[in-house]
Amino acid sequence: MENKILLEIVTPERALIKEWVDEVTAPGTEGEFGVLPGHTPFLTTLKIGEISYKKDNATKYIAVSWGYAEVGPSQVTILAEAAEIAEEIDTKRAEEARARALAILAKKDAEESQFKLAEATLEKTMVRMQVAGRIGK
Ligand code: ATP
């Protein structure tokens, strides 16, 4: 399709989306990047953050937790460790996971590995709540 990008997002568990879109923004490890049709090819790792894409003047949001993005002139392929579209995010679950993470972070005797995991969970849950909030959840 001319002047469109084929956005494909997959995780080890499932294929999330495969759609022709107008524009994609994603959280690269080196910073957020935007892709329009005709972009120079590149490969990057992704951090925990928000992916957004525009299609027919509507913007859609997806929470992503790590992965890779491969960008070409007419395609963006994302292999993510975990990803959820805004509509399917369970905010109660995210709030509970956030509370558990905060409790671990508050412990003075938490092990380094536990601490690191809790920090990542905190970040993931904040992004999940932000993405859910985009659609008023
Ligand atoms: P929890 O402690 O609630 O399980 P987690 O941060 O440990 O959260 P992950 O390991 O990041 O969860 O994800 C496990 C799977 O559950 C992934 O497929 C992810 O997309 C999904 N998932 C995690 N949290 C949510 C949520 N709040 N709403 C919908 N799907 C979620």
Side-chain angles (χ1 to χ4, degrees), residues 5-6 12 14 17-18 28 34 51 55 64 73 77 88 92 94 105 108 110 119-120 122-123 127-128 133 136:
I5 304 163
L6 182 62
R14 64 199 175 117
I17 62 165
K18 188 173 184 178
I51 295 173
K55 187 183 177 182
V64 66
T77 305
E88 69 187 1
K92 187 162 174 279
L105 293 174
K108 295 216 163 51
E119 273 183 333
L122 188 62
E123 217 182 325
V127 167
R128 283 172 181 145

Coordinates of all heavy atoms in Angstrom, one line a residue, residues 5-6 12 14 17-18 28 34 51 55 64 73 77 88 92 94 105 108 110 119-120 122-123 127-128 133 136:
I5 N 2.5 2.2 6.3 CA 3.5 1.3 6.9 C 2.7 0.1 7.5 O 1.7 0.2 8.1 CB 4.1 2.0 8.2 CG1 4.7 3.4 7.8 CG2 5.1 1.2 8.9 CD1 5.0 4.3 9.0
L6 N 3.3 -1.1 7.2 CA 2.7 -2.3 7.8 C 3.3 -2.5 9.2 O 4.5 -2.8 9.3 CB 3.0 -3.5 6.9 CG 2.4 -4.8 7.4 CD1 0.9 -4.7 7.4 CD2 2.8 -6.0 6.5
P12 N 6.2 -13.5 22.4 CA 6.4 -14.9 22.4 C 5.1 -15.7 22.5 O 5.0 -16.8 22.1 CB 7.3 -15.2 23.6 CG 8.0 -13.9 23.8 CD 7.1 -12.9 23.5
R14 N 1.9 -14.3 21.4 CA 0.8 -14.1 20.4 C 1.2 -13.0 19.4 O 2.1 -12.2 19.6 CB -0.5 -13.7 21.1 CG -0.3 -12.4 21.9 CD -1.4 -12.2 22.9 NE -1.1 -11.0 23.7 CZ -1.8 -9.9 23.7 NH1 -3.0 -9.9 23.1 NH2 -1.5 -8.9 24.4
I17 N -0.9 -7.2 16.6 CA -1.5 -6.6 15.5 C -0.7 -6.7 14.2 O 0.5 -6.9 14.2 CB -1.8 -5.0 15.7 CG1 -0.4 -4.3 15.9 CG2 -2.7 -4.8 16.9 CD1 -0.6 -2.8 15.8
K18 N -1.4 -6.6 13.1 CA -0.7 -6.5 11.8 C -1.7 -5.6 11.0 O -2.7 -6.1 10.5 CB -0.6 -7.9 11.2 CG 0.2 -8.0 9.9 CD 0.4 -9.4 9.5 CE 1.3 -9.4 8.2 NZ 1.6 -10.8 7.8
G28 N 12.5 3.6 21.8 CA 13.8 3.0 21.5 C 14.7 3.2 22.8 O 14.5 4.1 23.5
G34 N 10.1 8.2 15.8 CA 8.9 8.2 15.0 C 9.2 7.7 13.6 O 10.3 7.9 13.1
I51 N 3.9 2.6 22.8 CA 4.0 2.6 21.3 C 2.7 3.3 20.9 O 1.6 3.0 21.5 CB 4.0 1.2 20.7 CG1 5.3 0.4 21.1 CG2 3.8 1.2 19.2 CD1 5.2 -1.0 20.6
K55 N -3.8 5.9 12.4 CA -4.5 5.3 11.3 C -5.8 6.0 11.1 O -6.6 6.2 12.0 CB -4.7 3.8 11.7 CG -5.3 3.0 10.6 CD -5.6 1.6 11.0 CE -6.2 0.8 9.9 NZ -6.5 -0.5 10.3
V64 N 4.4 -1.5 25.9 CA 5.4 -2.5 25.5 C 6.5 -2.6 26.6 O 6.8 -1.6 27.3 CB 6.1 -2.2 24.1 CG1 6.9 -0.9 24.2 CG2 6.9 -3.3 23.6
P73 N 11.3 1.0 4.9 CA 10.6 2.1 4.3 C 9.1 1.9 4.4 O 8.3 2.9 4.4 CB 11.1 2.0 2.8 CG 12.2 1.2 2.8 CD 12.3 0.3 4.0
T77 N 8.4 -3.8 12.3 CA 8.2 -5.1 12.9 C 8.7 -5.0 14.3 O 9.9 -4.7 14.5 CB 8.8 -6.2 12.1 OG1 8.4 -6.1 10.8 CG2 8.5 -7.6 12.7
E88 N -7.1 -3.8 26.3 CA -7.1 -5.0 27.0 C -6.3 -4.9 28.4 O -6.2 -5.9 29.1 CB -6.5 -6.2 26.2 CG -5.0 -6.0 25.9 CD -4.4 -7.0 24.9 OE1 -5.2 -7.8 24.4 OE2 -3.2 -6.9 24.6
K92 N -6.7 -2.9 37.3 CA -6.7 -3.4 38.7 C -5.5 -4.2 38.9 O -4.8 -4.1 39.9 CB -8.0 -4.2 39.0 CG -8.2 -4.6 40.4 CD -9.6 -4.9 40.7 CE -9.8 -5.5 42.1 NZ -9.4 -6.9 42.2
A94 N -2.7 -4.1 37.2 CA -1.5 -3.2 37.2 C -1.4 -2.5 38.5 O -0.3 -2.4 39.0 CB -1.7 -2.2 36.0
L105 N 10.3 -2.4 47.1 CA 11.2 -1.3 47.1 C 11.4 -0.6 48.4 O 12.4 0.0 48.7 CB 10.8 -0.3 46.0 CG 10.9 -0.9 44.5 CD1 10.3 0.1 43.6 CD2 12.3 -1.2 44.1
K108 N 14.2 -2.5 53.3 CA 15.7 -2.2 53.3 C 16.6 -3.4 53.0 O 17.7 -3.3 52.5 CB 16.0 -1.6 54.7 CG 15.3 -0.3 54.9 CD 16.2 0.7 55.7 CE 15.7 2.1 55.5 NZ 14.2 2.3 55.8
A110 N 15.8 -5.9 50.9 CA 15.5 -6.6 49.7 C 16.8 -7.0 48.9 O 17.7 -6.2 48.9 CB 14.6 -5.8 48.8
E119 N 11.7 -2.8 40.5 CA 11.9 -1.5 39.7 C 11.3 -1.6 38.3 O 10.6 -0.7 37.8 CB 13.3 -1.1 39.6 CG 13.8 -0.3 40.8 CD 15.3 0.1 40.6 OE1 16.0 -0.6 39.8 OE2 15.7 1.1 41.1
A120 N 11.5 -2.8 37.7 CA 11.0 -3.0 36.3 C 9.5 -3.1 36.4 O 8.8 -2.6 35.5 CB 11.6 -4.2 35.7
L122 N 7.5 -1.8 38.5 CA 7.0 -0.5 38.8 C 6.8 0.3 37.5 O 5.8 0.9 37.2 CB 7.9 0.2 39.8 CG 7.4 1.6 40.3 CD1 6.1 1.4 41.1 CD2 8.4 2.2 41.2
E123 N 7.9 0.2 36.7 CA 7.9 1.0 35.4 C 6.8 0.4 34.5 O 6.1 1.2 33.8 CB 9.3 0.8 34.8 CG 9.7 2.1 34.1 CD 11.1 1.9 33.4 OE1 11.9 1.2 34.0 OE2 11.3 2.5 32.4
V127 N 3.5 2.4 33.0 CA 3.2 2.6 31.5 C 1.8 2.0 31.2 O 1.0 2.5 30.5 CB 4.3 1.9 30.7 CG1 3.9 1.8 29.3 CG2 5.6 2.7 30.8
R128 N 1.5 0.8 31.8 CA 0.2 0.2 31.5 C -0.9 1.1 32.0 O -1.9 1.2 31.3 CB 0.1 -1.2 32.3 CG 0.9 -2.3 31.6 CD 1.0 -3.6 32.3 NE 1.8 -4.5 31.5 CZ 2.6 -5.4 32.1 NH1 2.8 -5.6 33.4 NH2 3.3 -6.2 31.3
G133 N -5.1 4.8 30.5 CA -5.7 6.2 30.7 C -5.9 6.9 29.4 O -6.8 7.8 29.3
G136 N -9.3 6.5 28.6 CA -10.2 6.8 29.7 C -10.5 5.7 30.6 O -11.5 5.7 31.3

